Amino acid sequence: MKQYVVGLGEALWDCLPEGKKLGGAPANFAYHAGQFLGSDNTIAISALGNDALADETEQSLKEHGLQYMMPRVPYPTGTVQVTLTGDGIPTYDIKENVAWDNIPFTPEIEEIARNCRAVCFGSLAQRNIVSRENIQRFLDATPKECKKIFDINLRQQFYTKEIIQESLRRCNILKINDEELVLIGRMFGYPGLDIENKCWLILGKYNLDMLVLTCGTNGSYVFSPGAMSFQETPKVKVADTVGAGDSFTGSFCAAILAGKPVSEAHKLAVEVSAFVCTQNGAMPTITPDLLGRVK
């Protein structure tokens, strides 16, 4: 049985004023990790409805060469209605009680969990008890050495302190941005600390192997016991930022799995993310020189 790198969680379509685009962090993560590790070794796991949008989802994933395991369930395929205010600021309505709220834990999915090298999951797909319990079952079924990346990804009101705590107990790598860190600091009762001390505290409290903190244009950090890596954010001409964070996580994970030092994996992740910002869409083809850095 091959060992998989898994993106686990929501599969959805962003319904934008100019049309719809396939979204969801798990597929983006798996796609980018797969560019480095090979698409045979990466897979996106979610759930789809019995509808035309599910057929479109499968077609789009196939066009990107991405393996998926997304059982059909009796709920509509997920959508996010994106509307723009008068000054162009997007607002999001993430539809509830959809397919990815009801991800099953099938024998096939359990088999992948038991042969999993790394899995990336977030908080959004845990908003409903069905997917939450089955994501936890997946994480609990993985081998001890599996990299379990909690890309926290706070959205709207779809998270609770309990969901975050349970996820922190089950992960060994946390990825969080500076705005999320402020929210978590307030929620967990340590708002007075500076960002570095908050990160060291969370790293130690939850016995994490790594904590990745992204701060937009102000750079990013990777904290690990006794060490810290910092990288500035490259200045590039931005086409759009969709999927940039997922490309960071996917390439960082791939480099760590390939045995690269944290600082080297971090530098690669920053450069991949910057490249993705120069391209349209969440799943561009990474350049050969970047791909060549993971051997």
Side-chain angles (χ1 to χ4, degrees):
M1 182 75 185
K2 66 178 67 175
Q3 289 191 302
Y4 285 101
V5 174
V6 175
L8 174 62
E10 65 274 13
L12 49 82
W13 288 83
D14 291 315
C15 300
L16 305 151
E18 68 270 21
K20 66 182 188 297
K21 291 181 181 175
L22 183 62
N28 293 340
F29 166 82
Y31 171 77
H32 286 293
Q35 290 197 80
F36 289 93
L37 300 171
S39 57
D40 285 351
N41 304 308
T42 52
I43 190 164
I45 295 178
S46 187
L48 300 173
N50 291 300
D51 50 28
L53 215 47
D55 298 335
E56 287 188 56
T57 305
E58 292 186 342
Q59 183 60 34
S60 181
L61 294 171
K62 286 172 184 170
E63 286 170 2
H64 284 97
L66 181 57
Q67 285 193 92
Y68 60 89
M69 187 167 289
M70 300 186 181
R72 301 288 184 110
V73 294
Y75 298 87
T77 298
T79 55
V80 179
Q81 199 66 43
V82 185
T83 53
L84 300 178
T85 60
D87 49 3
I89 304 298
T91 58
Y92 303 93
D93 176 16
I94 305 174
K95 301 299 181 186
E96 297 187 65
N97 205 27
V98 293
W100 60 261
D101 285 315
N102 296 278
I103 302 169
F105 191 63
T106 64
E108 294 80 10
I109 290 175
E110 182 176 6
E111 184 71 11
I112 289 172
R114 296 196 182 284
N115 293 277
C116 186
R117 293 181 71 199
V119 54
C120 185
F121 68 103
S123 59
L124 178 57
Q126 298 186 69
R127 66 181 182 176
N128 183 53
I129 190 167
V130 176
S131 286
R132 179 162 69 251
E133 289 184 347
N134 287 331
I135 286 170
Q136 290 174 356
R137 289 175 72 188
F138 185 100
L139 296 169
D140 292 347
T142 58
K144 187 178 180 183
E145 65 276 9
C146 177
K147 308 288 185 195
K148 296 186 278 281
I149 305 162
F150 179 35
D151 190 350
I152 193 164
N153 206 14
L154 301 180
R155 290 289 181 268
Q156 294 172 218
Q157 76 282 12
F158 297 125
Y159 58 90
T160 65
K161 184 176 181 180
E162 291 69 32
I163 287 171
I164 291 166
Q165 285 178 319
E166 279 301 314
S167 298
L168 286 169
R169 290 187 189 109
R170 282 177 164 85
C171 77
N172 44 40
I173 299 173
L174 170 65
K175 179 167 177 272
I176 191 168
N177 67 35
D178 49 353
E179 293 177 0
E180 291 166 339
L181 186 64
V182 170
L183 288 169
I184 296 302
R186 287 190 194 129
M187 186 183 286
F188 284 32
Y190 31 84
L193 298 175
D194 64 26
I195 60 168
E196 288 191 24
N197 280 320
K198 278 192 184 106
C199 290
W200 288 121
L201 182 64
I202 294 168
L203 185 83
K205 181 176 173 63
Y206 291 97
N207 198 27
L208 303 176
D209 295 333
M210 282 177 254
L211 187 155
V212 180
L213 172 68
T214 58
C215 303
T217 56
N218 296 317
S220 58
Y221 302 79
V222 180
F223 298 85
S224 53
M228 182 187 78
S229 168
F230 173 78
Q231 290 286 334
E232 292 187 358
T233 302
K235 291 179 171 60
V236 295
K237 186 176 180 181
V238 175
D240 71 48
T241 60
V242 179
D246 302 321
S247 72
F248 182 114
T249 316
S251 52
F252 181 79
C253 175
I256 291 295
L257 290 175
K260 301 297 181 186
V262 168
S263 58
E264 200 175 314
H266 185 192
K267 189 171 192 303
L268 174 67
V270 164
E271 292 178 21
V272 169
S273 178
F275 168 76
V276 170
C277 285
T278 69
Q279 308 295 302
N280 288 307
M283 297 185 183
T285 301
I286 302 299
T287 59
D289 61 315
L290 288 170
L291 292 177
R293 304 250 294 273
V294 173
K295 291 292 186 186

